[in-house]
Amino acid sequence: MMSGVLGITDIWTYVLGTVAIVLLPGPNSLFVLSTAAKRGVRAGYRAAGGVFLGDGVLMFLSAAGVASLLKAYPPLFLVIKYVGAAYLGYVGLTMLRGAWRRWRDRNDPTTPRLIDAAEPAALRSPFRRALVISLLNPKAILFFISFFIQFVDPGYAWPALSFLLLGLIAQVTSALYLSALIFAGTFLAAQFQRRRRLAASATTGVGMLFLGFSLKLATASV
């Protein structure tokens, strides 16, 4: 029966649940969308690559039982939580700084329209930024574990294969969704090139959302 393939107890329920979860807005998808809107398809896929790698690492950690470790050592969870919250807040503040610069220079034709000149050079790698945003999210680690474990047959002889298939399904679903966001972002880029006020307003909104993600993570619990 299909639901029993490779030790997965209910593969179709997992697929539906994964689709629903991937579609929920979060810092990863929002960062990919904003990167594509500012820099185009290639940069958008570089950001998506960081998300894929980060999610892959979190899936591996979940299969290795990191959630139990975080629950057994609450100080470790607190360190990861506050470092992640601080980084998301830093990303949000950087975006707000860029939005202010765009607004201030909106009538200057020599100012770059897509790449944010106010952004520190060290943060201009979309791959690294997306990877760090993805990894510094302890709630994501806990979620992967609590979600994955429900669909793995504990009596199956090779549970690693079960996790591998579950991870592959999650990554394919994420790739399709992020691709849609990337091409939506290129449409937004064309609008932003002509309307600097719109670009500044959109960047402000994204920056505020990242500050919200930071606050939410800072108040998260195991």
Side-chain angles (χ1 to χ4, degrees):
M1 186 170 64
M2 186 66 176
S3 62
V5 169
L6 295 180
I8 299 175
T9 57
D10 194 341
I11 193 169
W12 295 116
T13 299
Y14 172 77
V15 169
L16 292 175
T18 299
V19 170
I21 291 161
V22 167
L23 292 177
L24 291 174
N28 289 349
S29 58
L30 189 60
F31 179 72
V32 171
L33 175 62
S34 63
T35 297
K38 289 193 293 182
R39 305 183 188 179
V41 171
R42 183 176 298 181
Y45 273 109
R46 286 202 295 269
V51 172
F52 298 149
L53 178 58
D55 285 350
V57 171
L58 293 182
M59 291 173 193
F60 173 80
L61 293 175
S62 69
V66 169
S68 299
L69 178 64
L70 292 178
K71 290 179 180 179
Y73 299 97
L76 177 60
F77 176 83
L78 291 176
V79 169
I80 297 174
K81 179 178 75 168
Y82 289 124
V83 170
Y87 186 78
L88 291 178
Y90 179 54
V91 171
L93 291 174
T94 299
M95 290 182 173
L96 291 177
R97 179 186 173 194
W100 166 247
R101 185 182 181 94
R102 280 197 187 94
W103 181 265
R104 187 188 61 191
D105 299 334
R106 62 189 181 278
N107 296 319
D108 183 359
T110 65
T111 301
R113 292 173 181 266
L114 294 181
I115 298 179
D116 190 352
E119 187 177 68
L123 292 180
R124 289 183 185 173
S125 169
F127 179 86
R128 287 200 302 267
R129 292 186 70 178
L131 177 60
V132 174
I133 289 171
S134 179
L135 289 176
L136 292 179
N137 191 344
K139 291 204 73 176
I141 299 175
L142 299 179
F143 167 77
F144 275 122
I145 295 178
S146 64
F147 189 62
F148 276 13
I149 200 170
Q150 297 178 45
F151 299 94
V152 176
D153 183 357
Y156 187 62
W158 299 283
L161 293 179
S162 304
F163 282 105
L164 181 62
L165 180 56
L166 293 174
L168 180 62
I169 293 171
Q171 292 285 46
V172 169
T173 304
S174 177
L176 293 173
Y177 178 55
L178 292 181
S179 293
L181 291 181
I182 287 168
F183 286 101
T186 58
F187 169 78
L188 293 175
Q191 306 305 311
F192 292 162
Q193 282 183 322
R194 294 192 297 266
R195 302 177 177 86
R196 293 198 177 191
R197 292 184 180 181
L198 176 62
S201 299
T203 304
T204 299
V206 172
M208 293 299 294
L209 285 174
F210 267 89
L211 291 179
F213 290 137
S214 173
L215 180 61
K216 184 177 181 180
L217 180 56
T219 57
S221 62
V222 178

